[in-house]
Amino acid sequence: MSAPLTAFTQRSTPHILALFRVVVGLLFACHGASSLFGVLGGAMGTGATVPTGAWPGWYAAVIQLAGGILVMAGLSTRAAAFISSGSMAYAYFSAHQGSALWPIQNGGEASAMFCWAFLLIVFIGPGAWSLDRLFFGDRQPEQAPVAQREPSAA
């Protein structure tokens, strides 16, 4: 990769990661809102809501709405993403995986994608734009120093 392109991608990475987090959180919150309030097509596109307290749909919708909002805002990002990832893993294995092995065959693509996207957010953190950073400062974990390569003697 050329030096200017490498420099650009290194400068842009925290902002692109933040944008990724915002989009994933927004889409997840929309799933929860549709199930809880009947908006955006309602629960599973029926226009209806999930009955209050119904297991597991209502609880999943609460996790989707709250987790999506927290991840989108970048507040308690890693904890919210961890819980959201776990809820999608549960959704995949309890509702989808029993009918076929692959997500494309069992309708579990969204569950699988959200599960892995949130797990990624757990490890990469909130990125540049987050309430975590605003309230608690830049407490990013220390990165391991990059090993310097010695020039090879030819």
Side-chain angles (χ1 to χ4, degrees):
M1 212 185 288
S2 69
L5 183 57
T6 301
F8 173 74
T9 57
Q10 287 177 345
R11 281 192 321 270
S12 303
T13 297
H15 304 287
I16 298 302
L17 292 175
L19 183 61
F20 175 77
R21 174 188 48 80
V22 168
V23 169
V24 169
L26 174 65
L27 294 174
F28 201 57
C30 287
H31 273 275
S34 69
S35 295
L36 290 174
F37 308 121
V39 297
L40 305 169
M44 297 208 257
T46 63
T49 61
V50 174
T52 303
W55 177 259
W58 185 80
Y59 295 94
V62 169
I63 290 171
Q64 290 168 0
L65 181 62
I69 290 170
L70 288 171
V71 167
M72 181 174 55
L75 186 60
S76 296
T77 307
R78 286 188 160 109
F82 183 75
I83 292 167
S84 298
S85 177
S87 76
M88 289 294 96
Y90 176 82
Y92 181 77
F93 287 110
S94 67
H96 299 286
Q97 203 274 326
S99 62
L101 177 63
W102 296 102
I104 193 74
Q105 295 172 315
N106 63 30
E109 299 99 328
S111 297
M113 288 294 293
F114 276 124
C115 177
W116 287 104
F118 283 122
L119 190 61
L120 177 64
I121 292 169
V122 169
F123 284 93
I124 63 173
W129 324 313
S130 70
L131 291 180
D132 282 342
R133 179 174 270 196
L134 180 67
F135 294 149
F136 306 114
D138 191 11
R139 287 200 260 166
Q140 297 294 328
E142 294 284 327
Q143 291 188 359
V146 177
Q148 297 294 321
R149 297 181 75 184
E150 293 185 26
S152 60

